[in-house]
Amino acid sequence: MELDEFLRHWDVSREELAFICDCSLTTVNHWFSQGVDQRIPSEKHKQRLALAHHIWTAIQTEPEYLQKLRDVYYQKRRRNPAK
């Protein structure tokens, strides 16, 4: 997914973009710079943007039942940590 398309859908900070794309804030800042310092997101970064978009879109449209089921999972997980 292209960066500009992702940003049309989601209001995220540059720090959040760095986390989503598993890169440094410096790299993200280069995406927004002009001139010789400008860079474009790599295919890896675009794949991560697409994955975040897919997950967040699914979360927005999932039924309340699945939200409650997830809550039950996280509560149970806290009581019985993985070995």
Side-chain angles (χ1 to χ4, degrees), residues 26-76:
T26 302
T27 297
V28 171
N29 285 333
H30 281 289
W31 298 343
F32 293 95
S33 63
Q34 300 294 317
V36 296
D37 290 332
Q38 186 178 25
R39 296 182 193 153
I40 59 170
S42 70
E43 287 304 311
K44 177 192 111 174
H45 299 136
K46 292 176 185 181
Q47 288 172 349
R48 289 178 178 268
L49 292 173
L51 179 60
H53 176 72
H54 173 76
I55 291 169
W56 290 351
T57 300
I59 288 170
Q60 286 184 326
T61 60
E62 73 183 7
E64 186 176 339
Y65 167 79
L66 290 178
Q67 294 171 0
K68 288 184 179 183
L69 189 60
R70 185 180 294 108
D71 291 341
V72 169
Y73 167 78
Y74 284 121
Q75 289 171 3
K76 179 177 175 53

